[in-house]
Amino acid sequence: MVDVKDALLSVLPSIRIPRAGDRVHKDECAFSFHTPESDGGLYICMNTFLGFGRPYVERHYSKTGQRAFLHIKRTAKPVLGLDCKSDDSSSNIGDPPRKKPTRLAIGMEGGFDMCDEQCEYEEELKLVILPEFLEIQRDGLLGLPEMVRDRVTSAIDAILAADSASRKQEIQAWDGEVRQVSKHAFNLQQLEGAPRIPPCGWKCSVCDLRENLWLNMTDGAILCGRRYFDGSGGNNHAVQHYRETGYPLAVKLGTITPDGADVYSYDEDDMVLDPSLAEHLAHFGIDMMKMQKTDKTMTELEIDMNQRIGEWELIQESGVQLQPLYGQGYTGMRNLGNSCYLNSTMQVIFSIPAFQRKYVERMEHIFQKAPADPTQDFSAQVAKLGSSLLSGEYSKPAPEREGDSQEQKGLQDGIAPRMFKSLVGKGHPEFSTNRQQDAQEFFLHFINMVERNCRSSSNPNEVFRFLVEEKIKCLVSQKVKYTQRVEYILQLPVPMEAALNKEELSAYEQARLQAEQDHRPPPELVRARIPFTCCLEAFAAAEQLDEFWSAALQAKSNALKTSRFASFPDYLVIQIKKFTFGLDWVPKKLDVSIDVPEELDLSQFRGGGLQGGEEELPDVAPPLVTPDEPKAPMLDESVVTQLVEMGFPAEACRKAVYYTGNSGAEAAMTWVMSHMDDPDFAHPLVISGVSAPSSVPTGGDPPSEEHIATIISMGFSQEQAVRALRSTSNSLERAVDWIFSHIDDLDAEAAMDLSEGRSAAESVSESIPAAGPRVKDGNGRYELFAFISHMGTSTMCGHYVCHIKKDGRWVIYNDQKVCASEKPPKDLGYIYFYQRVQS
């Protein structure tokens, strides 16, 4: 038998106490979704502070030699009748939670409750030493030497006291209600002789409304707020008052409490903070400390609005008793706070065989090759997510409790993708936050990350990739130019003029306006019915170009541009462009119904290249510099970056922008596709009389060791990682973009290093990729197999769900709720996924 004292003494040097910069992963396994509440609990390495479920802890020991682990096993118990699973999940699926939130926040006062904070746990702690799995209870430390006991106890206490890595991420990411201090707060003009405002009984001074009232803090006028899209709210009298007077700040009456109030700045067009609010209110005789809340805050109204809009029930299939589904391929995902855009997208991604083969079937290989910290490895975390979604291990009914509604009885525990969300959003200005995001933008962001991490291995993105053929015809010379560009998604416009129910829409609009005038509720919503064929025709229609540089004329001309498919992908992703801007540049959503077909034949939209009788425009660049004054050309770096992100060499992208006269991404892409076979395609842009600037700055702060390790884990050498970070002011996100945009240069240098006798480990460890992205092609006949729907007035709010066709039936994935669909709302979708029908 192993002696406890000897075992502890042998591992004592490896036991560390967490420092300020350490990430303590004590609530989720690095390779699975096992938690301290799972069967078997969680093992936290007392040296690296990584967490592991029982199936993976021995792998970590074999790979690192670390033997000391803190084992945490927790069993949840309800507190005072609270049901943590019910309360947590009800907000997750978009239904009103039992405790009404007052903030769009998670785990914060007034926000959506977190399960962990509504439950008490029976917690069991042990020190476990591998490989024997020797278990030592805390009271078993009492008989050990004081030095040993103190060191081990201090490490355990520090691990338990530290914020977990996921909790730190939530705190850093949450900015759902970040409001800035108004620029008018400290110098606000307040007129003398202002009226005394009573503590209640207010009414709009222009109309008879007694709700949604705003007090202008310059002159004391009480006026109603804006009219909402559904006709509710106010009559816009407060904003009209601002337009007439320019008085910028208003406070919403009924929201004033000792803790603050809703303050809006018309000048800054945003909700703001007013540190001098108590002083400004006292000007009108209002004592904040005596006020009570009598009206809904703007955040509460936003929550209510998102839950009552017309498409909410249709898309979620509410009001129908749906059959819950469990098992392989039917795993739900918990909403981590506005993360439904990620949940819906990844459910669809992992219903595609190419991604299953890449990440799920190769999971063991990926885990074996993972770096020392797998929580920061893209492939490991994608494999972990995909295998967990498909395995069925986490797809089990949540325990039913007394008082559960029918909706709550259909829920499952599912998985909480905290580690994955943290990694894919790291460094991104939007996806690193807890704000709601656009599912289409996240899809492209994820595709871009896959591109970065598959540069020399099989790339599942190839199933989405296709070429669009663009034909530009100069209307003066009648000459044409054919180009191709790479796309991963087909964006279809919504031609509102093609609505089939124009008379019905006109009658509805008149009734709505009349209801506004009469201060009555709006009539029942009428949606525009748009034929899908009209959306396709709008995509294929000729577009007038008024500022086209004609190489034939060497001058600007008018031209027509038409788009066709140059290849058809295995999986075609179609986005319906429902989101647009109104005349006042306020984002709005087109509430339309589109008869999207289950079977689609796009063969008629295939391009054919240069036709007989057509004459090509000469390939002549417009002048950017004059011979007598040579200087470096000013290139549109945003276009260069777009092309680089598509996988083309940086210098080729610079030449494309230069030789197309900074005329935009489409023209530059045309040049790239036309010159890919040139022998000097990736050579540096050289202009006579202009010296090339150095691309690598020197000096500055040394790069972060953590950032260097992250880049090295992607297959690059330390020298290349340092070079990339120094070239981008030590920004990890920009360094990753830089290193991939300079891949040709790095690979050439690596080949030179090898020829000079340097080891492969000191150079790039991947093979040289083929020039340009690869595309597949086939017939243009497709079948719908999935779609993502959005509920809400903007991509930045509301809720996403997805429907996927599995085993011959439609299934709805609504965060933790996975059910057989009764009436899939195909006409209200936002992103559609088609798979090719094989001949």
Side-chain angles (χ1 to χ4, degrees):
M1 175 176 283
V2 178
D3 182 76
V4 171
K5 179 179 177 181
D6 290 343
L8 270 177
L9 288 174
S10 67
V11 300
L12 193 63
S14 68
I15 294 178
R16 295 200 303 119
I17 296 175
R19 297 189 298 268
D22 287 327
R23 291 190 294 263
V24 180
H25 295 277
K26 62 180 182 179
D27 51 10
E28 182 182 341
C29 172
F31 292 115
S32 71
F33 287 92
H34 285 81
T35 68
E37 293 79 44
S38 302
D39 292 339
L42 196 68
Y43 294 81
I44 294 96
C45 174
M46 299 188 71
N47 181 268
T48 64
F49 310 118
L50 293 168
F52 300 96
R54 180 63 176 82
Y56 295 102
V57 65
E58 289 178 280
R59 170 177 292 173
H60 182 69
Y61 159 71
S62 300
K63 194 169 185 177
T64 65
Q66 297 298 333
R67 298 176 56 203
F69 294 83
L70 174 62
H71 181 251
I72 304 178
K73 179 71 177 76
R74 289 202 295 256
T75 304
K77 56 182 181 180
V79 182
L80 299 177
L82 284 177
D83 174 4
C84 70
K85 293 190 180 298
S86 299
D87 283 359
D88 178 52
S89 347
S90 62
S91 64
N92 286 345
I93 62 172
D95 296 324
R98 293 181 178 181
K99 182 180 179 181
K100 188 69 173 179
T102 58
R103 300 186 66 193
L104 290 176
I106 214 173
M108 300 175 69
E109 180 65 29
F112 292 91
D113 291 321
M114 296 181 68
C115 176
D116 291 346
E117 296 182 359
Q118 294 185 31
C119 296
E120 287 184 356
Y121 292 92
E122 294 179 352
E123 189 170 68
E124 181 182 0
L125 301 175
K126 299 175 186 174
L127 182 65
V128 178
I129 300 178
L130 267 62
E132 302 88 354
F133 279 89
L134 176 65
E135 297 182 352
I136 305 172
Q137 304 288 348
R138 292 197 70 167
D139 55 11
L141 301 172
L142 296 178
L144 299 174
E146 183 177 356
M147 181 192 71
V148 176
R149 183 175 67 248
D150 289 349
R151 182 178 179 84
V152 174
T153 301
S154 297
I156 292 175
D157 290 342
I159 291 173
L160 295 176
D163 279 334
S164 68
S166 61
R167 179 59 179 169
K168 281 185 177 180
Q169 179 64 25
E170 286 174 356
I171 294 171
Q172 293 169 1
W174 177 251
D175 54 5
E177 199 179 70
V178 171
R179 295 179 180 177
Q180 303 299 320
V181 174
S182 172
K183 64 182 181 182
H184 304 288
F186 299 108
N187 58 0
L188 181 69
Q189 177 189 9
Q190 290 193 291
L191 303 183
E192 296 296 331
R196 307 294 286 181
I197 305 300
C200 59
W202 311 296
K203 184 178 79 70
C204 175
S205 59
V206 178
C207 65
D208 294 328
L209 288 185
R210 295 181 177 272
E211 294 181 348
N212 191 19
L213 299 177
W214 294 79
L215 170 70
N216 189 289
M217 289 196 287
T218 293
D219 62 1
I222 297 177
L223 299 153
C224 60
R226 299 177 191 264
R227 182 179 295 114
Y228 306 137
F229 76 99
D230 64 350
S232 62
N235 292 317
N236 298 324
H237 290 141
V239 68
Q240 289 175 10
H241 184 70
Y242 161 71
R243 290 168 182 162
E244 294 169 359
T245 64
Y247 300 153
L249 294 188
V251 60
K252 187 175 185 184
L253 295 171
T255 69
I256 304 171
T257 69
D259 297 323
D262 274 357
V263 178
Y264 190 81
S265 172
Y266 292 101
D267 178 45
E268 296 159 286
D269 194 22
D270 206 354
M271 301 297 297
V272 296
L273 296 177
D274 179 7
S276 305
L277 181 61
E279 176 186 340
H280 291 155
L281 291 175
H283 183 75
F284 304 103
I286 299 175
D287 185 350
M288 271 183 66
M289 303 307 295
K290 296 180 179 179
M291 298 297 289
Q292 293 184 348
K293 183 174 176 291
T294 59
D295 199 358
K296 292 181 178 180
T297 65
M298 297 306 294
T299 302
E300 289 175 304
L301 288 172
E302 182 179 352
I303 294 170
D304 290 345
M305 188 76 63
N306 289 332
Q307 292 174 348
R308 73 166 185 264
I309 56 179
E311 46 189 18
W312 196 269
E313 291 191 355
L314 290 174
I315 290 177
Q316 291 193 119
E317 301 188 59
S318 302
V320 180
Q321 186 59 43
L322 301 179
Q323 174 194 352
L325 299 176
Y326 306 100
Q328 295 182 355
Y330 299 109
T331 303
M333 298 173 71
R334 296 187 190 178
N335 195 312
L336 306 178
N338 296 326
S339 65
C340 51
Y341 68 91
L342 178 149
N343 294 354
S344 299
T345 301
M346 298 314 299
Q347 290 283 11
V348 176
I349 289 287
F350 276 108
S351 67
I352 296 174
F355 285 87
Q356 296 172 5
R357 289 192 297 269
K358 173 69 178 181
Y359 294 105
V360 180
E361 294 178 11
R362 297 180 67 251
M363 180 186 71
E364 287 300 323
H365 174 76
I366 291 172
F367 286 175
Q368 288 290 351
K369 296 293 184 181
D373 185 356
T375 69
Q376 300 302 302
D377 183 69
F378 178 78
S379 294
Q381 292 309 309
V382 176
K384 166 185 167 180
L385 177 66
S387 61
S388 299
L389 288 176
L390 298 178
S391 69
E393 180 181 358
Y394 305 97
S395 179
K396 301 171 184 177
E400 292 191 11
R401 302 172 190 268
E402 185 177 354
D404 279 356
S405 67
Q406 289 298 324
E407 292 283 340
Q408 290 155 350
K409 289 179 180 179
L411 296 175
Q412 54 178 263
D413 284 345
I415 59 177
R418 295 185 181 93
M419 204 173 284
F420 173 81
K421 182 178 184 296
S422 172
L423 181 62
V424 296
K426 187 174 182 179
H428 193 280
E430 292 298 334
F431 299 124
S432 61
T433 73
N434 274 7
R435 291 191 292 265
Q436 186 63 277
Q437 303 298 335
D438 187 341
Q440 179 257 357
E441 291 182 3
F442 178 75
F443 170 78
L444 292 178
H445 172 69
F446 179 76
I447 291 298
N448 188 37
M449 295 197 73
V450 172
E451 290 289 345
R452 294 179 185 176
N453 287 273
C454 294
R455 65 190 187 95
S456 64
S457 59
S458 61
N459 189 338
N461 283 348
E462 290 179 6
V463 301
F464 296 130
R465 204 182 286 147
F466 63 98
L467 296 175
V468 173
E469 174 190 282
E470 282 193 350
K471 170 187 172 182
I472 299 179
K473 181 178 181 180
C474 173
L475 294 180
V476 177
S477 68
Q478 297 299 305
K479 295 182 179 181
V480 298
K481 183 74 172 180
Y482 281 89
T483 59
Q484 293 181 342
R485 71 174 188 271
V486 177
E487 292 286 2
Y488 292 90
I489 191 167
L490 176 65
Q491 295 182 308
L492 292 185
V494 180
M496 296 299 291
E497 67 277 6
L500 299 176
N501 55 339
K502 292 180 180 177
E503 293 184 1
E504 190 179 1
L505 287 169
S506 178
Y508 163 75
E509 186 62 20
Q510 292 179 8
R512 187 185 66 81
L513 293 174
Q514 188 62 49
E516 286 183 2
Q517 294 177 6
D518 299 340
H519 306 299
R520 292 184 289 104
E524 185 177 350
L525 177 67
V526 174
R527 288 191 179 87
R529 299 199 308 272
I530 310 294
F532 182 76
T533 52
C534 294
C535 298
L536 281 175
E537 290 168 359
F539 155 75
E543 177 186 352
Q544 178 86 22
L545 301 179
D546 296 327
E547 293 293 322
F548 172 70
W549 176 268
S550 173
L553 305 175
Q554 283 294 291
K556 290 185 177 180
S557 169
N558 293 330
L560 287 180
K561 181 179 74 173
T562 53
S563 299
R564 295 291 186 272
F565 287 91
S567 69
F568 288 118
D570 290 347
Y571 286 81
L572 179 64
V573 185
I574 297 178
Q575 176 200 14
I576 303 297
K577 298 174 69 174
K578 289 186 173 184
F579 297 96
T580 182
F581 289 92
L583 296 177
D584 53 359
W585 289 101
V586 175
K588 68 175 183 177
K589 178 180 176 181
L590 301 176
D591 200 347
V592 295
S593 171
I594 299 177
D595 61 338
V596 176
E598 291 221 16
E599 295 183 355
L600 180 63
D601 190 347
L602 298 174
S603 303
Q604 62 177 312
F605 296 103
R606 183 186 283 273
L610 188 68
Q611 302 297 303
E614 291 183 334
E615 184 178 354
E616 284 193 278
L617 284 162
D619 190 8
V620 179
L624 282 187
V625 294
T626 57
D628 57 336
E629 189 181 0
K631 58 182 178 180
M634 298 298 294
L635 301 182
D636 188 338
E637 291 298 333
S638 64
V639 175
V640 175
T641 301
Q642 288 182 52
L643 297 179
V644 167
E645 289 179 350
M646 294 179 186
F648 298 108
E651 287 302 329
C653 299
R654 286 170 52 79
K655 287 197 288 189
V657 174
Y658 170 69
Y659 286 119
T660 54
N662 279 333
S663 54
E666 294 183 6
M669 174 60 75
T670 298
W671 189 94
V672 167
M673 301 306 296
S674 301
H675 292 78
M676 285 177 59
D677 296 329
D678 294 354
D680 62 346
F681 178 66
H683 291 183
L685 172 63
V686 178
I687 302 169
S688 178
V690 178
S691 59
S694 172
S695 60
V696 182
T698 58
D701 296 331
S704 158
E705 290 296 330
E706 180 182 350
H707 289 175
I708 293 174
T710 299
I711 296 178
I712 290 175
S713 71
M714 301 170 68
F716 297 96
S717 69
Q718 178 162 349
E719 179 183 350
Q720 291 162 341
V722 171
R723 180 179 175 188
L725 289 164
R726 285 192 179 279
S727 300
T728 55
S729 302
N730 294 334
S731 166
L732 177 61
E733 182 74 12
R734 290 173 53 207
V736 172
D737 287 334
W738 185 95
I739 207 167
F740 280 104
S741 66
H742 291 74
I743 193 65
D744 287 342
D745 297 337
L746 295 176
D747 283 333
E749 291 172 5
M752 185 177 296
D753 293 339
L754 289 174
S755 68
E756 294 174 354
R758 297 176 63 178
S759 68
E762 294 173 278
S763 59
V764 179
S765 62
E766 307 286 357
S767 60
I768 300 176
R774 291 176 52 190
V775 295
K776 297 183 178 182
D777 196 8
N779 69 68
R781 293 186 292 112
Y782 293 92
E783 180 181 6
L784 183 69
F785 82 94
F787 61 96
I788 295 174
S789 306
H790 172 266
M791 297 155 282
T793 57
S794 163
T795 54
M796 309 315 291
C797 65
H799 187 58
Y800 287 95
V801 304
C802 70
H803 287 73
I804 304 174
K805 201 170 189 178
K806 290 193 175 182
D807 301 324
R809 65 181 173 186
W810 284 99
V811 179
I812 179 173
Y813 291 80
N814 188 1
D815 289 338
Q816 282 174 265
K817 183 179 178 182
V818 181
C819 298
S821 173
E822 294 288 338
K823 294 181 179 180
K826 294 189 292 290
D827 61 320
L828 298 178
Y830 174 47
I831 306 174
Y832 295 88
F833 295 80
Y834 283 87
Q835 58 186 347
R836 193 197 316 278
V837 176
Q838 300 299 332
S839 300

